[in-house]
Amino acid sequence: CQAIRSKPGGAHLPIMMVSGRDDVASINQSYQAGATDFLAKPINWNLLGHRVQYLVRGGRLVQELEESEGRQRAMLDALPDLLLVVDMYDRVVDRLGASDSHPFLVGGVKPDQKITELVNGDAARAITHALDDCRVRNERTEVEFEAIRDGVERRFETRIVPYDKGRLLLVLRDVTERHRAANRIPELAFFHPLTQVPNPQYLM
């Protein structure tokens, strides 16, 4: 059983151990070796076929679940957004999607670090208020805040949604360029691009 588990493709193969021993130690040893199921002799041949059938079906479901999780993980990794899971104490307990190069993660996240410790000042207060609001209303909450990353002021758009067991999921998107472009539109509309003095449209 241990040899099968160690081979490529053997990690999730359904394995039933059939033994004349039915003591607790033998059963525990079988499961520790990687057995999926244990059957003690004498064998009830009428039930064996059904046990094996359910064993194979369960193994197939586990494999499909892992494949599905793999696809979802690949999709999350392809997203530009950063997904953080925080517990009821606002501590970051998991990270989904986005690579370590995401602007918000500059400096990394320490174990049991609170999300509000990754920013400061008005941003920390805004996030705290948004987290509390999401918990009270139990529905999606949105907040935008600015934070200094590598000496540059960046703006992040954050959606907070209830996750499970009192935890919250934060979806952070870097909207710095979009914010700069939005601020640039009035400047282009009302000021001369060369002299930066107000144009006729501004005076009107």
Side-chain angles (χ1 to χ4, degrees), residues 1-17 33-34:
C1 183
Q2 290 175 336
I4 291 172
R5 288 290 185 230
S6 65
K7 292 185 178 295
H12 306 295
L13 187 69
I15 299 176
M16 177 182 285
M17 300 287 277

Side-chain angles (χ1 to χ4, degrees), residues 10-201:
H12 306 295
L13 187 69
I15 299 176
M16 177 182 285
M17 300 287 277
V18 181
S19 172
R21 299 179 179 180
D22 59 358
D23 57 286
V24 175
S26 297
I27 296 173
N28 288 337
Q29 188 177 2
S30 296
Y31 285 120
Q32 288 172 4
T36 311
D37 198 4
F38 181 90
L39 186 62
K41 295 178 181 179
I43 299 172
N44 185 330
W45 295 100
N46 293 324
L47 295 178
L48 180 61
H50 294 287
R51 289 278 293 272
V52 172
Q53 186 178 8
Y54 286 119
L55 192 68
V56 172
R57 184 185 301 172
R60 193 176 297 126
L61 289 175
V62 170
Q63 184 176 358
E64 291 175 357
L65 179 62
E66 291 194 347
E67 290 174 355
S68 175
E69 289 180 346
R71 288 193 296 268
Q72 291 179 1
R73 177 71 63 174
M75 291 173 60
L76 289 173
D77 289 342
L79 293 174
D81 299 338
L82 171 65
L83 285 74
L84 297 176
V85 180
V86 299
D87 62 11
M88 61 183 64
Y89 303 106
D90 297 344
R91 296 175 301 197
V92 179
V93 294
D94 197 8
R95 176 168 66 89
L96 309 170
S99 63
D100 293 333
S101 61
H102 191 279
F104 188 77
L105 290 179
V106 174
V109 180
K110 301 175 184 176
D112 294 330
Q113 188 171 20
K114 289 189 175 184
I115 183 70
T116 51
E117 294 174 353
L118 298 173
V119 292
N120 50 41
D122 293 338
R125 287 187 287 273
I127 293 175
T128 299
H129 177 75
L131 292 171
D132 293 340
D133 186 50
C134 182
R135 289 191 179 98
V136 171
R137 298 191 298 118
N138 197 36
E139 59 183 38
R140 189 179 80 178
T141 304
E142 297 184 4
V143 62
E144 282 196 21
F145 62 89
E146 293 178 347
I148 303 298
R149 291 294 183 266
D150 281 340
V152 179
E153 187 178 82
R154 306 197 71 86
R155 191 172 187 87
F156 298 96
E157 176 186 82
T158 306
R159 295 181 181 180
I160 308 171
V161 294
Y163 195 47
D164 69 333
K165 299 178 181 178
R167 298 188 296 178
L168 301 175
L169 176 66
L170 284 72
V171 183
L172 292 96
R173 174 172 294 183
D174 184 3
V175 295
T176 305
E177 295 305 321
R178 187 182 73 186
H179 186 67
R180 288 173 181 168
N183 291 336
R184 182 81 172 137
I185 291 174
E187 184 179 332
L188 293 173
F190 298 116
F191 294 86
H192 192 280
L194 180 62
T195 63
Q196 298 300 312
V197 298
N199 62 17
Q201 186 66 31

